């Protein structure tokens, strides 16, 4: 029997942070968690868009508890400010959903000097997780869900040119960022387990979902928009693997969740495999150390 969100029990009393929750996969993930009684923090770069998303969620679920907090994952200053503000307001964190991301934009560097996709998709989430981890590990049954992509198979971790300063390839840079997210999820689980913590680190990917992520693709792609419904699933469908990773009762640390059909492009959420590169523990350990140095964030594991 496939996993069914409707069968999940209410989650009243639990707190979740969803990054990039104002639109697309993040919005649908936040809406799903709110529907199950979680208090949800919409962590978004534009607070006015977060407020609009909050209003939309409350219109559907009037009894939901939803808060909005500003977070720009491409800015380590913003990440630190968000984490400090959250810790002032709350003494626990049950679910951290590292969802926000950008896909194949023109080349640019973040304010910290990182390639934009690596900054927003991976390094910002690495820092955020490390800063919030003391709260997470003391919260019973807590989980961290990192969003990867089928595109993790495109990339490798280019330690010799991590920021694509020599020659920018937006496709390979996106693949690298999503591979890094997946390797981080696996490595964090290994470290949590060695340290004796019960918090689970898991990962998910949405398959191919029709969201705003595709805004930077060539305009000719729009010509084929009517055909995308045949392969793409909705943002609500794409959020199901994330919700499964966050709430599934059979989920274990290190699991990776995605759609089950059409080459993992769409369908009901199941546990899936990942590339050999994503399982390279030596590369993951090196990436961890490099990420610590780039962000200045140390983990209590």
């Amino acid at each position: 029997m496939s996993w069914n969100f409707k069968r999940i029990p209410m989650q009243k009393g639990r707190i979740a942070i969803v990054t990039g929750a104002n639109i697309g996969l993040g919005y649908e993930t936040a809406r799903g968690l709110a529907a199950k009684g979680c208090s949800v923090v919409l962590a978004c770069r534009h607070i006015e868009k977060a407020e609009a998303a909050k209003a939309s969620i409350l219109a559907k679920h009037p009894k939901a508890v939803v808060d909005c907090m500003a977070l720009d994952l491409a800015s380590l200053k913003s990440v630190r400010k968000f984490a400090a503000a959250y810790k002032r307001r709350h003494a626990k964190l049950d679910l951290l959903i590292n969802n926000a991301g950008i896909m194949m934009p023109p080349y640019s560097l973040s304010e910290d000097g990182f390639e934009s996709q690596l900054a927003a998709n991976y390094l910002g989430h690495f820092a955020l997780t490390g800063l919030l981890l003391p709260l997470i590990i003391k919260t019973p049954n807590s989980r961290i869900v990192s969003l990867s992509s089928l595109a993790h198979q495109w990339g490798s971790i280019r330690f010799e040119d991590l920021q694509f300063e020599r020659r920018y390839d937006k496709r390979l840079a996106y693949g690298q960022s999503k591979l890094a997210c997946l390797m981080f999820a696996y490595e964090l689980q290994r470290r949590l387990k060695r340290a004796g913590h019960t918090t689970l680190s898991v990962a998910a990917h949405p398959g191919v979902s029709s969201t705003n992520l595709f805004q930077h693709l060539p305009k000719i792609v729009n010509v084929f928009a009517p055909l995308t419904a045949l392969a793409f699933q909705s943002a609500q469908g794409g959020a199901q693997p994330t919700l499964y990773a966050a709430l599934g009762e059979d989920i274990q640390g290190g699991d990776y969740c995605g759609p089950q059909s059409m080459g993992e492009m769409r369908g009901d959420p199941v546990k899936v495999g990942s590339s050999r590169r994503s399982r390279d523990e030596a590369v993951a350990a090196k990436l961890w150390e490099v990420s610590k140095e780039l962000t200045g964030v140390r983990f209590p594991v």
Side-chain angles (χ1 to χ4, degrees):
M1 182 181 296
S2 61
W3 184 78
N4 189 325
F5 176 74
K6 294 180 180 179
R7 292 197 297 266
I8 292 299
M10 294 298 288
Q11 306 288 311
K12 191 172 179 61
R14 307 187 79 199
I15 303 176
I17 292 173
V18 182
T19 67
N22 60 286
I23 197 170
L25 299 172
Y27 170 79
E28 293 296 343
T29 300
R31 186 169 71 87
L33 293 172
K36 288 297 181 181
C38 277
S39 297
V40 184
V41 175
L42 311 183
C44 306
R45 182 172 54 174
H46 301 294
I47 201 68
E48 65 278 7
K49 293 182 179 180
E51 292 290 351
K54 174 182 175 179
S56 178
I57 291 172
L58 291 177
K60 297 178 176 71
H61 308 286
K63 295 183 179 180
V65 178
V66 184
D67 191 14
C68 300
M69 294 180 65
L71 171 63
D72 181 356
L73 286 155
S75 164
L76 291 177
K77 180 180 178 181
S78 175
V79 172
R80 290 183 180 277
K81 184 177 180 180
F82 173 91
Y86 180 87
K87 287 186 282 190
R88 285 195 299 269
R89 298 185 192 186
H90 303 283
K92 70 168 191 168
L93 177 55
D94 297 89
L95 298 169
L96 173 59
I97 313 295
N98 289 327
N99 164 83
I102 57 175
M103 179 179 173
M104 294 190 280
Y107 182 73
S108 66
L109 296 177
S110 71
E111 65 182 47
D112 302 294
F114 308 141
E115 186 274 319
S116 62
Q117 295 180 92
L118 191 69
N121 298 354
Y122 170 64
L123 288 171
H125 284 125
F126 178 93
L128 178 67
T129 304
L131 293 168
L132 294 175
L133 198 58
L135 280 187
I136 299 172
I137 59 179
K138 74 176 187 178
T139 305
N141 302 313
S142 56
R143 294 185 193 179
I144 299 156
V145 183
S146 297
L147 267 288
S148 185
S149 166
L150 287 169
H152 85 269
Q153 301 173 57
W154 303 345
S156 61
I157 306 301
R158 299 160 54 105
F159 291 114
E160 76 285 358
D161 187 22
L162 202 61
Q163 312 302 337
F164 279 81
E165 296 172 301
R166 297 175 189 170
R167 181 177 179 275
Y168 181 57
D169 184 313
K170 61 186 179 181
R171 180 178 179 274
L172 294 181
Y174 181 66
Q176 174 183 251
S177 73
K178 286 303 180 178
L179 176 60
C181 291
L182 185 52
M183 297 185 83
F184 168 62
Y186 292 153
E187 179 65 13
L188 178 56
Q189 176 57 35
R190 288 189 286 268
R191 291 171 183 254
L192 288 166
K193 185 176 180 180
R194 286 199 297 266
H197 297 300
T198 58
T199 294
L200 302 183
S201 172
V202 296
H205 81 80
V208 182
S209 301
S210 182
T211 72
N212 65 308
L213 271 180
F214 291 92
Q215 62 183 304
H216 295 297
L217 294 184
K219 294 186 183 301
I220 193 168
V221 173
N222 294 329
V223 174
F224 301 98
L227 301 178
T228 61
L230 298 176
F232 290 15
Q233 58 183 355
S234 66
Q236 183 178 6
Q240 294 306 300
T242 303
L243 290 167
Y244 176 38
L247 303 177
E249 295 177 348
D250 64 330
I251 294 295
Q252 299 178 354
D255 280 345
Y256 184 34
C257 304
Q260 69 174 348
S261 303
M262 293 181 64
E264 298 179 22
M265 290 195 296
R266 61 182 299 159
D268 293 335
V270 294
K271 297 180 184 182
V272 297
S274 62
S275 70
R276 182 177 298 179
R277 280 177 174 163
S278 72
R279 300 283 182 177
D280 190 321
E281 295 187 18
V283 172
K286 182 176 180 180
L287 177 63
W288 185 283
E289 294 304 315
V290 170
S291 303
K292 276 172 43 181
E293 293 306 311
L294 291 174
T295 62
V297 174
R298 302 295 186 267
F299 283 60
V301 291

